[in-house]
Amino acid sequence: ETKFQPVFIDDVAHAIEEIIRRDLKEKSIYEFVGSEIYTYKNFYKFLLNSLGLKRYIVSIPFGIARLLVSILEKTPIDLLTLEQLHLFKYDNLSSNLHKNFSDLNIQPQNVKEIIKKIINK
């Protein structure tokens, strides 16, 4: 049930370009996140549905996942590291304490719409 706010990388690049263009030298922290909040499960279901694929999603307890990943790290299979797995454990949401896209007059694109466009090409 971990939540995150995916953002389209072109929007982040546009924001960075705007910071450089405006010569914003103050020491500010920016949080660039998408406007929608997803759980990983819901997001994967959306991706599978968009791709027309049927897959079973199996939840694995974090302790078991950690054990599996620690074993995989010792093999040539480069699937996931323990550090990457750790990122799945906690929500990755905006704190709303820092500057964001709106401070640069940028409206981030809808990630779902971008994915649909990419899939339908």
Side-chain angles (χ1 to χ4, degrees), residues 92-105:
N92 191 359
L93 304 173
S94 173
S95 69
N96 295 318
L97 299 174
H98 305 289
K99 293 184 177 185
N100 56 41
F101 285 115
S102 64
D103 294 296
L104 300 169
N105 297 319

Side-chain angles (χ1 to χ4, degrees), residues 49-60:
N49 187 39
S50 297
L51 292 166
L53 299 173
K54 294 203 183 262
R55 299 289 190 271
Y56 293 103
I57 297 176
V58 178
S59 296
I60 300 173

Side-chain angles (χ1 to χ4, degrees), residues 39-55:
T39 63
Y40 283 100
K41 185 176 183 177
N42 288 340
F43 195 72
Y44 290 140
K45 284 183 178 182
F46 163 73
L47 288 175
L48 290 169
N49 187 39
S50 297
L51 292 166
L53 299 173
K54 294 203 183 262
R55 299 289 190 271

Side-chain angles (χ1 to χ4, degrees), residues 61-74 77-90:
F62 192 78
I64 294 172
R66 186 175 43 231
L67 175 64
L68 292 172
V69 170
S70 65
I71 292 169
L72 281 176
E73 279 189 321
K74 294 170 180 43
I77 300 170
D78 190 19
L79 184 62
L80 190 68
T81 67
L82 283 171
E83 290 83 14
Q84 291 168 328
L85 177 66
H86 187 70
L87 294 174
F88 286 99
K89 193 173 183 177
Y90 303 102

Side-chain angles (χ1 to χ4, degrees), residues 104-116:
L104 300 169
N105 297 319
I106 297 172
Q107 177 64 39
Q109 300 173 69
N110 183 299
V111 171
K112 279 187 172 180
E113 295 304 316
I114 297 296
I115 290 170
K116 288 177 185 176

